[in-house]
Amino acid sequence: MPRMNEEVRRCIGLETDLQLACDPVERGAVRRYAQAIMDIDPVYMDEDAVAGTRYGAPVAPPLFPNAMLRLPFGDPDLVQARAADPDFDGAVGSSTLGLPPLPLVNSPLLNGGTEVELFRYARHGERIRLKSRYLDIYERETSKGWMLMVVIETDFLDDEGQLVMRFRKTQLRR
């Protein structure tokens, strides 16, 4: 049974306010991230390695801004807070990127893929802001029945409002 209706269609184009990542791009977090992805390129940590290069100063690995999406220390765990709600689908913060939930009930969420467009590397000490929007919502018939494809686009911006990275993820909803 198709789930696309006018109420869902009105969500296309909704966007968040500009949100500030809870922490700046911090040297220790960059180090741990680079170690976790097993990429110890000197441009991530070594001032001498980047002297005279296009970077000018150490930078974070390409996808690091996405790893900055976490709850500030001491904020309540939203999954735990809604665990007893039978209509809760698990979509919080990192899965909705701050967007209001779609008007869907009992609609499981699957990851349908991610596209990343990198404009430049984030620099140590920089504050990253992000803005998300429902870029598109459309229906597709599959071998298992109708599914909604929900495309969320998030812009990661620097202190001057310039794009660092654009992230598009598709959620599959039944």
Side-chain angles (χ1 to χ4, degrees):
M1 174 177 143
R3 295 174 110 50
M4 189 65 156
N5 59 41
E6 196 52 42
E7 189 178 13
V8 172
R9 194 176 323 282
R10 279 194 300 266
C11 292
I12 298 171
L14 283 180
E15 60 183 33
T16 64
D17 291 332
L18 204 55
Q19 303 170 68
L20 181 64
C22 66
D23 297 313
V25 177
E26 187 268 323
R27 182 179 169 83
V30 168
R31 178 185 48 80
R32 288 187 301 277
Y33 184 88
Q35 289 171 331
I37 64 171
M38 294 186 276
D39 181 0
I40 54 168
D41 190 321
V43 300
Y44 303 143
M45 300 302 291
D46 186 352
E47 296 274 346
D48 293 333
V50 293
T53 69
R54 63 183 171 150
Y55 305 114
V59 295
L63 299 179
F64 182 80
N66 190 55
M68 297 175 70
L69 302 178
R70 55 187 173 265
L71 287 174
F73 188 74
D75 274 15
D77 180 330
L78 302 175
V79 173
Q80 188 67 31
R82 300 220 22 225
D85 179 354
D87 293 326
F88 178 54
D89 64 2
V92 297
S94 63
S95 60
T96 62
L97 295 162
L99 288 164
L102 292 173
L104 301 170
V105 178
N106 297 325
S107 177
L109 183 147
L110 293 167
N111 182 353
T114 302
E115 297 173 49
V116 177
E117 195 174 354
L118 183 67
F119 294 88
R120 69 166 182 78
Y121 293 88
R123 298 178 188 99
H124 290 206
E126 194 166 45
R127 296 303 306 241
I128 300 293
R129 290 159 177 74
L130 58 133
K131 185 177 200 92
S132 297
R133 70 195 60 78
Y134 284 117
L135 185 64
D136 199 7
I137 304 171
Y138 58 95
E139 239 174 358
R140 181 172 288 162
E141 188 171 9
T142 70
S143 62
K144 304 290 184 198
W146 288 94
M147 294 189 103
L148 279 183
M149 310 303 180
V150 179
V151 182
I152 297 174
E153 182 176 76
T154 301
D155 290 340
F156 293 79
L157 309 164
D158 64 16
D159 294 318
E160 285 80 44
Q162 299 298 309
L163 273 168
V164 173
M165 181 172 78
R166 179 169 283 150
F167 198 78
R168 272 182 219 97
K169 70 179 189 174
T170 302
Q171 297 177 344
L172 309 178
R173 304 294 297 260
R174 294 209 37 152

